[in-house]
PDB file of all heavy atoms in Angstrom:
ATOM      1  N   THR Q 132     127.933  63.397  90.722  1.00 94.00           N
ATOM      2  CA  THR Q 132     128.760  62.219  90.976  1.00 94.00           C
ATOM      3  C   THR Q 132     129.762  62.563  92.065  1.00 94.00           C
ATOM      4  O   THR Q 132     130.229  63.690  92.152  1.00 94.00           O
ATOM      5  CB  THR Q 132     129.504  61.801  89.679  1.00 94.00           C
ATOM      6  OG1 THR Q 132     128.536  61.445  88.703  1.00 94.00           O
ATOM      7  CG2 THR Q 132     130.438  60.642  89.913  1.00 94.00           C
ATOM      8  N   LEU Q 133     130.100  61.574  92.863  1.00 94.00           N
ATOM      9  CA  LEU Q 133     131.088  61.740  93.918  1.00 94.00           C
ATOM     10  C   LEU Q 133     132.418  61.217  93.398  1.00 94.00           C
ATOM     11  O   LEU Q 133     132.513  60.078  92.957  1.00 94.00           O
ATOM     12  CB  LEU Q 133     130.652  60.928  95.143  1.00 94.00           C
ATOM     13  CG  LEU Q 133     131.392  61.164  96.424  1.00 94.00           C
ATOM     14  CD1 LEU Q 133     130.893  62.469  97.049  1.00 94.00           C
ATOM     15  CD2 LEU Q 133     131.137  60.028  97.370  1.00 94.00           C
ATOM     16  N   ASP Q 134     133.446  62.069  93.409  1.00 95.00           N
ATOM     17  CA  ASP Q 134     134.780  61.651  92.985  1.00 95.00           C
ATOM     18  C   ASP Q 134     135.534  61.174  94.224  1.00 95.00           C
ATOM     19  O   ASP Q 134     136.020  61.965  95.017  1.00 95.00           O
ATOM     20  CB  ASP Q 134     135.520  62.812  92.319  1.00 95.00           C
ATOM     21  CG  ASP Q 134     136.916  62.439  91.842  1.00 95.00           C
ATOM     22  OD1 ASP Q 134     137.317  61.266  92.004  1.00 95.00           O
ATOM     23  OD2 ASP Q 134     137.613  63.317  91.306  1.00 95.00           O
ATOM     24  N   GLY Q 135     135.657  59.870  94.376  1.00 93.00           N
ATOM     25  CA  GLY Q 135     136.281  59.293  95.557  1.00 93.00           C
ATOM     26  C   GLY Q 135     137.725  58.914  95.353  1.00 93.00           C
ATOM     27  O   GLY Q 135     138.232  58.001  96.008  1.00 93.00           O
ATOM     28  N   SER Q 136     138.428  59.589  94.463  1.00 91.00           N
ATOM     29  CA  SER Q 136     139.806  59.207  94.138  1.00 91.00           C
ATOM     30  C   SER Q 136     140.825  59.597  95.199  1.00 91.00           C
ATOM     31  O   SER Q 136     141.947  59.102  95.176  1.00 91.00           O
ATOM     32  CB  SER Q 136     140.213  59.789  92.784  1.00 91.00           C
ATOM     33  OG  SER Q 136     140.093  61.185  92.799  1.00 91.00           O
ATOM     34  N   SER Q 137     140.458  60.442  96.142  1.00 91.00           N
ATOM     35  CA  SER Q 137     141.389  60.826  97.200  1.00 91.00           C
ATOM     36  C   SER Q 137     141.731  59.617  98.065  1.00 91.00           C
ATOM     37  O   SER Q 137     140.874  58.818  98.407  1.00 91.00           O
ATOM     38  CB  SER Q 137     140.752  61.907  98.075  1.00 91.00           C
ATOM     39  OG  SER Q 137     141.494  62.073  99.256  1.00 91.00           O
ATOM     40  N   ARG Q 138     142.997  59.500  98.443  1.00 91.00           N
ATOM     41  CA  ARG Q 138     143.414  58.380  99.294  1.00 91.00           C
ATOM     42  C   ARG Q 138     142.848  58.495 100.704  1.00 91.00           C
ATOM     43  O   ARG Q 138     142.873  57.541 101.471  1.00 91.00           O
ATOM     44  CB  ARG Q 138     144.927  58.256  99.321  1.00 91.00           C
ATOM     45  CG  ARG Q 138     145.471  57.763  98.005  1.00 91.00           C
ATOM     46  CD  ARG Q 138     146.901  57.314  98.163  1.00 91.00           C
ATOM     47  NE  ARG Q 138     147.442  56.924  96.886  1.00 91.00           N
ATOM     48  CZ  ARG Q 138     147.502  55.669  96.469  1.00 91.00           C
ATOM     49  NH1 ARG Q 138     147.049  54.717  97.220  1.00 91.00           N
ATOM     50  NH2 ARG Q 138     148.029  55.386  95.304  1.00 91.00           N
ATOM     51  N   ARG Q 139     142.346  59.663 101.050  1.00 93.00           N
ATOM     52  CA  ARG Q 139     141.689  59.819 102.353  1.00 93.00           C
ATOM     53  C   ARG Q 139     140.333  59.136 102.371  1.00 93.00           C
ATOM     54  O   ARG Q 139     139.776  58.893 103.432  1.00 93.00           O
ATOM     55  CB  ARG Q 139     141.523  61.293 102.681  1.00 93.00           C
ATOM     56  CG  ARG Q 139     142.812  61.908 103.147  1.00 93.00           C
ATOM     57  CD  ARG Q 139     142.540  63.187 103.868  1.00 93.00           C
ATOM     58  NE  ARG Q 139     142.961  64.299 103.028  1.00 93.00           N
ATOM     59  CZ  ARG Q 139     142.591  65.542 103.202  1.00 93.00           C
ATOM     60  NH1 ARG Q 139     141.760  65.847 104.168  1.00 93.00           N
ATOM     61  NH2 ARG Q 139     143.036  66.487 102.422  1.00 93.00           N
ATOM     62  N   ASN Q 140     139.798  58.833 101.197  1.00 94.00           N
ATOM     63  CA  ASN Q 140     138.524  58.143 101.078  1.00 94.00           C
ATOM     64  C   ASN Q 140     138.750  56.647 101.343  1.00 94.00           C
ATOM     65  O   ASN Q 140     139.087  55.885 100.444  1.00 94.00           O
ATOM     66  CB  ASN Q 140     137.936  58.361  99.679  1.00 94.00           C
ATOM     67  CG  ASN Q 140     136.699  57.541  99.447  1.00 94.00           C
ATOM     68  OD1 ASN Q 140     136.020  57.133 100.378  1.00 94.00           O
ATOM     69  ND2 ASN Q 140     136.406  57.292  98.186  1.00 94.00           N
ATOM     70  N   ILE Q 141     138.574  56.233 102.562  1.00 94.00           N
ATOM     71  CA  ILE Q 141     138.829  54.840 102.922  1.00 94.00           C
ATOM     72  C   ILE Q 141     137.787  53.908 102.297  1.00 94.00           C
ATOM     73  O   ILE Q 141     138.079  52.759 102.004  1.00 94.00           O
ATOM     74  CB  ILE Q 141     138.886  54.695 104.459  1.00 94.00           C
ATOM     75  CG1 ILE Q 141     140.071  55.511 104.954  1.00 94.00           C
ATOM     76  CG2 ILE Q 141     139.007  53.243 104.869  1.00 94.00           C
ATOM     77  CD1 ILE Q 141     140.225  55.568 106.423  1.00 94.00           C
ATOM     78  N   GLY Q 142     136.596  54.409 102.029  1.00 94.00           N
ATOM     79  CA  GLY Q 142     135.550  53.601 101.408  1.00 94.00           C
ATOM     80  C   GLY Q 142     135.932  53.082 100.032  1.00 94.00           C
ATOM     81  O   GLY Q 142     135.399  52.080  99.563  1.00 94.00           O
ATOM     82  N   ARG Q 143     136.889  53.732  99.381  1.00 93.00           N
ATOM     83  CA  ARG Q 143     137.309  53.297  98.040  1.00 93.00           C
ATOM     84  C   ARG Q 143     138.010  51.944  98.061  1.00 93.00           C
ATOM     85  O   ARG Q 143     138.145  51.296  97.042  1.00 93.00           O
ATOM     86  CB  ARG Q 143     138.211  54.349  97.393  1.00 93.00           C
ATOM     87  CG  ARG Q 143     139.630  54.334  97.882  1.00 93.00           C
ATOM     88  CD  ARG Q 143     140.456  55.433  97.309  1.00 93.00           C
ATOM     89  NE  ARG Q 143     141.693  54.896  96.740  1.00 93.00           N
ATOM     90  CZ  ARG Q 143     142.459  55.520  95.898  1.00 93.00           C
ATOM     91  NH1 ARG Q 143     142.156  56.705  95.479  1.00 93.00           N
ATOM     92  NH2 ARG Q 143     143.539  54.963  95.430  1.00 93.00           N
ATOM     93  N   TYR Q 144     138.470  51.496  99.225  1.00 94.00           N
ATOM     94  CA  TYR Q 144     139.175  50.217  99.324  1.00 94.00           C
ATOM     95  C   TYR Q 144     138.235  49.021  99.450  1.00 94.00           C
ATOM     96  O   TYR Q 144     138.693  47.880  99.409  1.00 94.00           O
ATOM     97  CB  TYR Q 144     140.170  50.256 100.488  1.00 94.00           C
ATOM     98  CG  TYR Q 144     141.245  51.285 100.273  1.00 94.00           C
ATOM     99  CD1 TYR Q 144     141.268  52.461 100.997  1.00 94.00           C
ATOM    100  CD2 TYR Q 144     142.224  51.093  99.310  1.00 94.00           C
ATOM    101  CE1 TYR Q 144     142.246  53.421 100.787  1.00 94.00           C
ATOM    102  CE2 TYR Q 144     143.209  52.051  99.089  1.00 94.00           C
ATOM    103  CZ  TYR Q 144     143.210  53.205  99.833  1.00 94.00           C
ATOM    104  OH  TYR Q 144     144.174  54.150  99.607  1.00 94.00           O
ATOM    105  N   ALA Q 145     136.950  49.250  99.611  1.00 93.00           N
ATOM    106  CA  ALA Q 145     135.983  48.152  99.625  1.00 93.00           C
ATOM    107  C   ALA Q 145     135.847  47.655  98.188  1.00 93.00           C
ATOM    108  O   ALA Q 145     135.524  48.419  97.285  1.00 93.00           O
ATOM    109  CB  ALA Q 145     134.640  48.621 100.167  1.00 93.00           C
ATOM    110  N   ASN Q 146     136.132  46.389  97.961  1.00 90.00           N
ATOM    111  CA  ASN Q 146     136.145  45.828  96.614  1.00 90.00           C
ATOM    112  C   ASN Q 146     134.783  45.309  96.179  1.00 90.00           C
ATOM    113  O   ASN Q 146     133.867  45.159  96.981  1.00 90.00           O
ATOM    114  CB  ASN Q 146     137.184  44.702  96.534  1.00 90.00           C
ATOM    115  CG  ASN Q 146     138.590  45.235  96.525  1.00 90.00           C
ATOM    116  OD1 ASN Q 146     138.883  46.234  95.876  1.00 90.00           O
ATOM    117  ND2 ASN Q 146     139.479  44.587  97.268  1.00 90.00           N
ATOM    118  N   HIS Q 147     134.696  44.995  94.886  1.00 88.00           N
ATOM    119  CA  HIS Q 147     133.471  44.464  94.283  1.00 88.00           C
ATOM    120  C   HIS Q 147     133.331  42.980  94.569  1.00 88.00           C
ATOM    121  O   HIS Q 147     134.308  42.246  94.623  1.00 88.00           O
ATOM    122  CB  HIS Q 147     133.517  44.669  92.765  1.00 88.00           C
ATOM    123  CG  HIS Q 147     132.481  43.862  92.048  1.00 88.00           C
ATOM    124  ND1 HIS Q 147     131.178  44.268  91.945  1.00 88.00           N
ATOM    125  CD2 HIS Q 147     132.556  42.657  91.447  1.00 88.00           C
ATOM    126  CE1 HIS Q 147     130.503  43.349  91.282  1.00 88.00           C
ATOM    127  NE2 HIS Q 147     131.312  42.365  90.967  1.00 88.00           N
ATOM    128  N   SER Q 148     132.093  42.540  94.725  1.00 87.00           N
ATOM    129  CA  SER Q 148     131.783  41.119  94.785  1.00 87.00           C
ATOM    130  C   SER Q 148     130.394  40.918  94.211  1.00 87.00           C
ATOM    131  O   SER Q 148     129.516  41.764  94.384  1.00 87.00           O
ATOM    132  CB  SER Q 148     131.815  40.603  96.220  1.00 87.00           C
ATOM    133  OG  SER Q 148     131.431  39.238  96.246  1.00 87.00           O
ATOM    134  N   CYS Q 149     130.209  39.801  93.530  1.00 85.00           N
ATOM    135  CA  CYS Q 149     128.884  39.468  93.004  1.00 85.00           C
ATOM    136  C   CYS Q 149     127.976  38.933  94.115  1.00 85.00           C
ATOM    137  O   CYS Q 149     126.765  38.885  93.956  1.00 85.00           O
ATOM    138  CB  CYS Q 149     129.013  38.455  91.877  1.00 85.00           C
ATOM    139  SG  CYS Q 149     129.857  39.147  90.439  1.00 85.00           S
ATOM    140  N   ARG Q 150     128.585  38.496  95.224  1.00 88.00           N
ATOM    141  CA  ARG Q 150     127.836  38.089  96.427  1.00 88.00           C
ATOM    142  C   ARG Q 150     128.400  38.875  97.604  1.00 88.00           C
ATOM    143  O   ARG Q 150     129.162  38.361  98.408  1.00 88.00           O
ATOM    144  CB  ARG Q 150     127.969  36.594  96.663  1.00 88.00           C
ATOM    145  CG  ARG Q 150     127.271  35.808  95.569  1.00 88.00           C
ATOM    146  CD  ARG Q 150     127.002  34.400  95.908  1.00 88.00           C
ATOM    147  NE  ARG Q 150     126.212  34.287  97.121  1.00 88.00           N
ATOM    148  CZ  ARG Q 150     126.166  33.188  97.840  1.00 88.00           C
ATOM    149  NH1 ARG Q 150     126.860  32.137  97.496  1.00 88.00           N
ATOM    150  NH2 ARG Q 150     125.432  33.133  98.929  1.00 88.00           N
ATOM    151  N   PRO Q 151     128.023  40.160  97.707  1.00 92.00           N
ATOM    152  CA  PRO Q 151     128.635  41.046  98.697  1.00 92.00           C
ATOM    153  C   PRO Q 151     128.132  40.806 100.112  1.00 92.00           C
ATOM    154  O   PRO Q 151     127.085  40.192 100.325  1.00 92.00           O
ATOM    155  CB  PRO Q 151     128.219  42.427  98.207  1.00 92.00           C
ATOM    156  CG  PRO Q 151     126.923  42.203  97.526  1.00 92.00           C
ATOM    157  CD  PRO Q 151     127.044  40.855  96.868  1.00 92.00           C
ATOM    158  N   ASN Q 152     128.890  41.345 101.083  1.00 93.00           N
ATOM    159  CA  ASN Q 152     128.454  41.299 102.472  1.00 93.00           C
ATOM    160  C   ASN Q 152     128.111  42.702 102.986  1.00 93.00           C
ATOM    161  O   ASN Q 152     127.773  42.869 104.141  1.00 93.00           O
ATOM    162  CB  ASN Q 152     129.520  40.641 103.359  1.00 93.00           C
ATOM    163  CG  ASN Q 152     130.870  41.288 103.245  1.00 93.00           C
ATOM    164  OD1 ASN Q 152     131.005  42.400 102.741  1.00 93.00           O
ATOM    165  ND2 ASN Q 152     131.895  40.590 103.689  1.00 93.00           N
ATOM    166  N   ALA Q 153     128.218  43.690 102.105  1.00 96.00           N
ATOM    167  CA  ALA Q 153     127.886  45.068 102.472  1.00 96.00           C
ATOM    168  C   ALA Q 153     127.163  45.736 101.299  1.00 96.00           C
ATOM    169  O   ALA Q 153     127.138  45.196 100.191  1.00 96.00           O
ATOM    170  CB  ALA Q 153     129.149  45.843 102.815  1.00 96.00           C
ATOM    171  N   GLU Q 154     126.587  46.886 101.577  1.00 96.00           N
ATOM    172  CA  GLU Q 154     125.888  47.643 100.531  1.00 96.00           C
ATOM    173  C   GLU Q 154     126.102  49.127 100.775  1.00 96.00           C
ATOM    174  O   GLU Q 154     126.479  49.539 101.867  1.00 96.00           O
ATOM    175  CB  GLU Q 154     124.399  47.313 100.528  1.00 96.00           C
ATOM    176  CG  GLU Q 154     123.675  47.744 101.793  1.00 96.00           C
ATOM    177  CD  GLU Q 154     122.212  47.332 101.821  1.00 96.00           C
ATOM    178  OE1 GLU Q 154     121.673  46.981 100.764  1.00 96.00           O
ATOM    179  OE2 GLU Q 154     121.620  47.371 102.910  1.00 96.00           O
ATOM    180  N   THR Q 155     125.865  49.917  99.741  1.00 95.00           N
ATOM    181  CA  THR Q 155     125.979  51.364  99.893  1.00 95.00           C
ATOM    182  C   THR Q 155     124.588  51.955 100.044  1.00 95.00           C
ATOM    183  O   THR Q 155     123.631  51.485  99.422  1.00 95.00           O
ATOM    184  CB  THR Q 155     126.682  52.013  98.686  1.00 95.00           C
ATOM    185  OG1 THR Q 155     125.967  51.669  97.506  1.00 95.00           O
ATOM    186  CG2 THR Q 155     128.116  51.556  98.581  1.00 95.00           C
ATOM    187  N   VAL Q 156     124.501  52.985 100.869  1.00 94.00           N
ATOM    188  CA  VAL Q 156     123.247  53.680 101.113  1.00 94.00           C
ATOM    189  C   VAL Q 156     123.546  55.172 101.052  1.00 94.00           C
ATOM    190  O   VAL Q 156     124.516  55.632 101.649  1.00 94.00           O
ATOM    191  CB  VAL Q 156     122.686  53.322 102.510  1.00 94.00           C
ATOM    192  CG1 VAL Q 156     121.416  54.087 102.792  1.00 94.00           C
ATOM    193  CG2 VAL Q 156     122.463  51.834 102.637  1.00 94.00           C
ATOM    194  N   ILE Q 157     122.719  55.907 100.311  1.00 91.00           N
ATOM    195  CA  ILE Q 157     122.870  57.364 100.274  1.00 91.00           C
ATOM    196  C   ILE Q 157     121.962  57.923 101.362  1.00 91.00           C
ATOM    197  O   ILE Q 157     120.746  57.733 101.333  1.00 91.00           O
ATOM    198  CB  ILE Q 157     122.518  57.940  98.894  1.00 91.00           C
ATOM    199  CG1 ILE Q 157     123.461  57.353  97.843  1.00 91.00           C
ATOM    200  CG2 ILE Q 157     122.601  59.466  98.911  1.00 91.00           C
ATOM    201  CD1 ILE Q 157     123.129  57.731  96.421  1.00 91.00           C
ATOM    202  N   TYR Q 158     122.582  58.584 102.342  1.00 87.00           N
ATOM    203  CA  TYR Q 158     121.857  59.108 103.492  1.00 87.00           C
ATOM    204  C   TYR Q 158     122.286  60.548 103.718  1.00 87.00           C
ATOM    205  O   TYR Q 158     123.465  60.815 103.964  1.00 87.00           O
ATOM    206  CB  TYR Q 158     122.158  58.247 104.731  1.00 87.00           C
ATOM    207  CG  TYR Q 158     121.493  58.713 105.992  1.00 87.00           C
ATOM    208  CD1 TYR Q 158     120.127  58.526 106.187  1.00 87.00           C
ATOM    209  CD2 TYR Q 158     122.225  59.354 106.975  1.00 87.00           C
ATOM    210  CE1 TYR Q 158     119.513  58.946 107.342  1.00 87.00           C
ATOM    211  CE2 TYR Q 158     121.620  59.780 108.151  1.00 87.00           C
ATOM    212  CZ  TYR Q 158     120.260  59.580 108.329  1.00 87.00           C
ATOM    213  OH  TYR Q 158     119.650  60.006 109.478  1.00 87.00           O
TER     214      TYR Q 158
END
């Protein structure tokens, strides 16, 4: 698991939506 609790992790500010405009991809 990735612990993204650091404030340097800007991706953590992307919020949840049931109709999103973005997605996550593991690359």
Side-chain angles (χ1 to χ4, degrees):
T132 297
L133 191 78
D134 180 1
S136 58
S137 167
R138 289 195 184 262
R139 283 198 252 163
N140 173 23
I141 296 176
R143 79 184 231 162
Y144 297 107
N146 286 319
H147 166 81
S148 177
C149 294
R150 293 197 57 200
N152 55 16
E154 65 184 344
T155 57
V156 178
I157 299 174
Y158 178 74

